Every structure is written in structure tokens, then in C-alpha cells.
Amino acid sequence: MQGAGPAICLGRDIDTDLIIAGRYLRTKDRSVWAEHVFEDLDPTLAGRIRGSVIVAGRNMGCGSSREQAVVALREAGVVAVVAESFARIFFRNAVNVGLPVVEASVACTDGSRVAFDLDSGWVEVDGMRYPARPLSEKMVAILRAGGLVPYWRSCR
Amino acid sequence: MSTLSEAILGAPAGRYVDREVDIAFAHDGTGVLAHEALREMGVKRLPHPDRLRLVFDHIVPANTGTTATLQAELREYARVSGIALSDAGGGICHQVMSEGVVRPGTILVGADSHSCTLGAFGAFATGVGATDMAAIWASGETWFRVPETIAVNLTGRLSGPAEPKDVALAYVADLGMEGATYRALEFTGDGAATISMDGRLTLSNMAVETGAKTGMFYADPVTVRYLADYGVTASSQVPEDCRYERTVEIDLDDIVPLVAVPHRVDTVREAEEVAGTHLDQVFVGTCTNGRYEDLARFARIVRGKKVAVRTLVFPASRAVLARAIATGVLADIVDAGCVVGSPGCGPCLGAHAGVLGEGEVCLSTANRNFKNRMGVGGEIYLSSVATAAASAITGVITVPEVA
Ligand code: SF4
């Protein structure tokens, strides 16, 4: 499974409150989350995030288990999230909603072209290749299906 | 020779395993999403409704019509699918599970990050997301990567005004916010035996603040006695000689009142260093420190005095509230001028009761002080109950005196 896009670089310890603030949680309307994604971090991000790859530091997605955070990123059109390490629930959630996550330590600046291949386990930034921590077969299968719900349907 | 996680999951660290879960719960926030996912998955019947729980705790009673409607749908779903529901006022999911539901040696998953709290009983207890939870409800099982384990070895005994929350802040500061990501914590050593069940729950609760999957204590006579009060028969677990990835040593005798300062849980100072910081609100409660022992300790310090700042007290469960009423603890709290809220998460997540205004400063007994968590522009300091009580009386951060 492959993908690519321009990088949006963020720091470390980005918590799920920063991805989508608690005040937007009481709805089932997913477009609301996409609209307000990263609002408390940088209010301009939501408007320019579509088609890009988020590149974060360590402990991406720490904090509350709110799945709305990964849904917001997916709905906002984020292609994948690359990070040095992920908070584990965020990581599981991302796989479950079909948002590719790549654990790798890369050097990058905003706008760098980032490409990744989940099967072979690598990520490239402006042509420079880095190894990525491999996912289990089941995780890749879930991602390829587009998330746990379509995966579940295809298995029954 | 296995760690507790390896023994319960039945495989060595690093292995991926599929396991049936004994208890799986969601709350009013994650439950709505899990229900939605179940609908999308086309799941009609749940194989083991008796193993499932729904607990309404995050925004209860409902704050808006939208919330109320979402909760009404979920309430109806619980009824038709046979899932036991703890409705508004019953208490925080982790606390409700700790009142005789969870058992040592079992696997428990909650659609909430602080599900690691229940590791205090020697269970493998961890948090998952809502879609994960939907698949677990539909199939009865899920996958885990068996974690490596970091030991937090406790020696000595707490003394003076120090309490388990200070120990929790100490190990979070030591490990850092990502120091135990993907790992399990095991609280070991002679010091562990000296900590009450309420205190263990506080320690296990904050494991996720280091990124850990769970924070476990071996079930011992303290656990067995506690569960017996709920009519549950359990036995002690015997630690095996096992391999820990590393060990963090904490001497309980050295622990003093600590405070996590904005906006990171692992930025911890001695309370002494931040003493005098102006406060607009004090909040006592949550799945970290809203238990009976906490309320009783708070009441002992404020009894016969008046709080100098807006002070909110939210019991963690109805059982906690009932006991606080029966023993007079609640009357002391009310007489001191505190606002008492209904059992649940209360102001912890900044969604309803007790939201902070721009620039307001809160001293809270919760587990997270992330930016804007309790309201945009608010600042959160985290402390023990004793520090919160001493500070409520003065209106500034104050080091508690020997209890
Ligand atoms: S009390 Fe706070 S930390 Fe605990 S479950 Fe509720 S919102 Fe989460």
C-alpha cells in the first residue's frame, strides 16, 4: 500500500485535544471535525491540509482515546501520518478508520514531498529513503480495506 | 517466567495475539461512535452482551439537546441489545468497573484511554478506540501486541502529607509522557503492599500519561479484601521471576507533595516551588482522585474552614457519594463552601460543568493538564487531594501540612 503528498511538519507530543478540541465532540457530523481540525494549534491548517502527509515528532496523538481525532484527519483529506512514534490508541484508531500511519524518524520541512510504502516498510522525503517500523499483516489488510468496518464486512 | 501481561495474554512480549475479552465497556462519548460503527458493520446481534457495559459519565446530565438525543439513542440501544447501562449519576466508567466488576487475571478493554486504571486489580486492562470497541462487541475478541514491561519498584512507605497521587506524578515525571509507549507498567516491591486499593487505582490511572498500555499491581491480600466487600472471591497473584525492560526505583519515604504545571503532565515541580500561584478554581474529582478516601482526606483538611476560591467536588461514583453522605464527609465539604456536582467526569474534559474562562487558573486532582482541556485559555495545575484542599482554603497553591 503506497501513497504520497507534500509534508506538513508538526512537533512532538501532539495530543488529541489539539487535533480536535473537546468542544466539537458532541456531534456525529464528521464534516464538523474536518473543519475544526488542529484549530487550537494553527487555525489555518484545516484549510490547507487536504492531500498532504502530516509529519510529526514523538508521541503523536497522545491523550484521550477520542477516535474523532483520526476521523477528523481522514475527513480533512490527510493522506497519511508519519511520526517518530505514536501514542498506541491513536495508532490503533488510525488503522481502524483507514488512515495510514508510518512510524519512522525522518528529517523534513514543510512542503517536502513524502512518499511511503506500507508493505515494504519505507518512507521517502524528497527522494531520501528511511526505514519504517513494519505493521502486522492484519493491520495492512485493515488499512487496505479502508478501515475496520469495511474489513469486517469483507470478512463476513 | 512471565511478566503479569505475558501470563494473562499467554504469550511472550512482542507477539501479536487474538484474545477473547472478559469485560468490554464504552461511555457516552465513545459509545455513540461504537454504536454507529456497529450499524455500519451491519451487526444485528452481539454474542456476549453479559460481558459488555455502557457507562454514561462524560457529559451527564446532558448539557444540550443534541447530547441528550445522542444519549437517548444509546440508552435505547443498550436496552434492546441487553447491555447493562450505568446511567447519568452512576459514576465514572473506571470507578464503576472497580466496584466489583473487574477481576484479577482477566482481560478488560474500555473505549477510554484511562482504562489502564483497572490494572490495579492485576487484570490486563487497556483502552481502545470506538471502532475497535464495535468490533470487540461484535466478535467478543481483539488483537493485542503483548507488551514489554517496565517495573516501577516501590520501597518504603508514604509519610507526612504525601499521597499516592504524588507518587503517580513522580513516576510520570521520571518516565516522561512517552517513556512507556507500547509498554506495560508493573508496580512492584514491598512499598506496593502498603498502598490501599484506592491509592493503587490512582497510580494505575496515570500509566497512560507515560504512553503505557496498562499499569498493573499483583493482586494481594489488599485486593482480595477489597473485592470481598463487593461479594467477589479472588485470590492473590504470585510474581514470577521475569525480565523487565527496565526498572524505575521509587522510595516512598522520599515522596513530597508535587504539582504538574501547565501544559505537560510530565513537567512536575515540588509544590513548594509553585506555592503562592494564584487560583481561580480548585477541582477535586475524576477517575484519578474522586474516590471515597480522596473525599474523606479533602474533608478532613477543610472541615470547619471556608474555601477562599471556587471549589468543585465531583464524587467518582454514586457509591462514593452515598458513603460520603453516610459518614458526614459530604456535609463537611458543603459546609466549607464547596460546589458539589453529580457523580461523573464533571469539569475534567472541559465540555460542561466547571469550564474555565480565558486566563483562569485551576488546580485539579485530575490526570491531564493539556492546553485548553478545561476551557480555551485556561491553565491547569495537577496535584494531590491534600494539596488541593490546602490550596482551596488559601486561594493560592499551598503545600499541605502533615495530615
Ligand atoms: S474523569 Fe476525566 S480522565 Fe477520567 S474518564 Fe472522565 S474525562 Fe477521562
Side-chain angles (χ1 to χ4, degrees):
Chain A
M1 186 176 186
Q2 299 186 332
I8 287 186
C9 302
L10 304 176
R12 54 180 289 184
D13 300 316
I14 304 287
D15 63 70
T16 52
D17 283 71
L18 278 180
I19 299 173
I20 185 71
R23 58 188 177 277
Y24 298 119
L25 294 185
R26 296 302 123 173
T27 172
K28 285 197 279 188
D29 180 358
R30 294 168 180 165
S31 66
V32 171
W33 305 331
E35 206 177 305
H36 297 285
V37 71
F38 288 127
E39 190 169 280
D40 290 346
L41 185 68
D42 175 354
T44 71
L45 264 178
R48 55 191 173 89
I49 210 169
R50 186 160 295 279
S52 58
V53 174
I54 304 267
V55 181
R58 294 158 75 143
N59 205 23
M60 175 63 181
C62 60
S64 99
S65 65
R66 66 185 61 158
E67 194 162 308
Q68 291 94 334
V70 287
V71 175
L73 294 173
R74 189 196 64 197
E75 294 296 308
V78 168
V79 175
V81 183
V82 177
E84 228 175 299
S85 69
F86 290 90
R88 54 165 290 277
I89 300 182
F90 179 90
F91 191 80
R92 271 186 95 112
N93 285 346
V95 172
N96 288 339
V97 306
L99 174 70
V101 271
V102 187
E103 191 176 308
S105 172
V106 305
C108 131
T109 47
D110 274 335
S112 292
R113 194 192 135 76
V114 182
F116 62 89
D117 184 329
L118 292 178
D119 302 284
S120 322
W122 54 257
V123 53
E124 274 180 9
V125 181
D126 291 333
M128 175 85 177
R129 187 170 285 200
Y130 301 85
R133 179 177 163 136
L135 300 178
S136 79
E137 262 172 50
K138 190 162 181 175
M139 288 185 209
V140 178
I142 293 171
L143 277 173
R144 200 183 314 253
L148 193 54
V149 170
Y151 174 79
W152 171 276
R153 281 219 222 89
S154 71
C155 289
R156 300 286 131 169
Chain B
M1 293 293 157
S2 310
T3 63
L4 199 42
S5 303
E6 290 172 326
I8 294 172
L9 294 175
R15 192 82 61 78
Y16 285 93
V17 295
D18 287 313
R19 288 291 176 264
E20 279 204 6
V21 305
D22 297 291
I23 296 284
F25 66 90
H27 54 64
D28 49 318
T30 52
V32 168
L33 297 175
H35 180 210
E36 187 82 352
L38 283 167
R39 225 187 339 236
E40 287 175 13
M41 286 157 66
V43 174
K44 295 272 171 326
R45 262 195 64 252
L46 304 176
H48 303 292
D50 52 311
R51 299 181 192 169
L52 315 181
R53 297 283 192 287
L54 269 166
V55 183
F56 286 7
D57 57 1
H58 271 54
I59 305 192
V60 291
N63 59 339
T64 65
T66 315
T67 311
T69 305
L70 291 174
Q71 290 179 6
E73 285 171 18
L74 199 53
R75 191 176 287 118
E76 176 60 14
Y77 179 68
R79 196 184 62 76
V80 299
S81 56
I83 303 174
L85 167 73
S86 167
D87 212 323
I92 304 168
C93 52
H94 313 301
Q95 179 62 20
V96 171
M97 295 298 134
S98 77
E99 294 171 353
V101 179
V102 63
R103 286 155 173 62
T106 59
I107 299 176
L108 172 145
V109 289
D112 187 272
S113 60
H114 288 101
S115 305
C116 56
T117 308
L118 286 321
F121 289 90
F124 186 82
T126 193
V128 297
T131 304
D132 251 343
M133 188 50 73
I136 292 165
W137 285 11
S139 68
E141 59 169 52
T142 191
W143 62 269
F144 298 101
R145 184 181 172 280
V146 182
E148 285 79 23
T149 297
I150 297 176
V152 179
N153 194 49
L154 307 173
T155 52
R157 207 184 178 96
L158 286 172
S159 59
E163 59 185 75
K165 176 60 164 288
D166 299 305
V167 185
L169 292 171
Y171 84 74
V172 171
D174 192 314
L175 283 164
M177 270 170 68
E178 39 147 6
T181 302
Y182 312 133
R183 316 288 194 282
L185 301 183
E186 274 186 18
F187 298 97
T188 58
D190 296 344
T194 68
I195 297 178
S196 70
M197 222 38 238
D198 279 9
R200 292 179 191 188
L201 286 158
T202 300
L203 277 165
S204 292
N205 176 264
M206 292 195 69
V208 70
E209 308 316 329
T210 67
K213 267 186 184 176
T214 186
M216 307 167 90
F217 279 82
Y218 285 82
D220 68 359
V222 173
T223 325
V224 171
R225 266 198 309 276
Y226 177 97
L227 285 171
D229 285 346
Y230 292 96
V232 175
T233 316
S235 41
S236 296
Q237 293 163 321
V238 184
E240 296 178 16
D241 230 355
C242 61
R243 218 176 54 82
Y244 292 121
E245 193 178 87
R246 56 182 280 220
T247 299
V248 174
E249 297 286 350
I250 293 188
D251 186 345
L252 298 176
D253 288 304
D254 293 344
I255 297 290
V256 296
L258 299 172
V259 173
V261 303
H263 300 285
R264 290 179 62 99
V265 191
D266 59 358
T267 313
V268 172
R269 309 260 180 271
E270 288 191 10
E272 186 78 58
E273 294 173 63
V274 285
T277 304
H278 162 88
L279 296 173
D280 299 289
Q281 177 169 302
V282 171
F283 168 40
V284 176
T286 80
C287 56
T288 318
N289 278 124
R291 283 175 270 279
Y292 178 75
E293 274 183 13
D294 298 317
L295 266 51
R297 200 177 309 118
F298 182 82
R300 256 198 314 276
I301 297 172
V302 301
R303 181 181 301 145
K305 307 196 173 80
K306 291 281 179 227
V307 295
V309 59
R310 175 171 91 234
T311 300
L312 315 180
V313 180
F314 281 65
S317 74
R318 177 177 289 124
V320 168
L321 174 61
R323 194 163 159 210
I325 292 170
T327 57
V329 156
L330 196 75
D332 290 336
I333 293 172
V334 171
D335 288 344
C338 304
V339 180
V340 176
S342 62
C345 302
C348 181
L349 69 162
H352 62 149
V355 175
L356 297 179
E358 179 87 41
E360 282 198 315
V361 182
C362 179
L363 181 67
S364 160
T365 64
N367 44 40
R368 287 192 177 135
N369 59 349
F370 301 153
K371 201 168 180 201
N372 299 338
R373 180 169 169 94
M374 291 180 67
V376 177
E379 293 201 351
I380 309 166
Y381 290 77
L382 304 176
S383 80
S384 71
V385 171
T387 305
S391 306
I393 290 162
T394 57
V396 298
I397 293 181
T398 302
V399 183
E401 282 169 16
V402 178

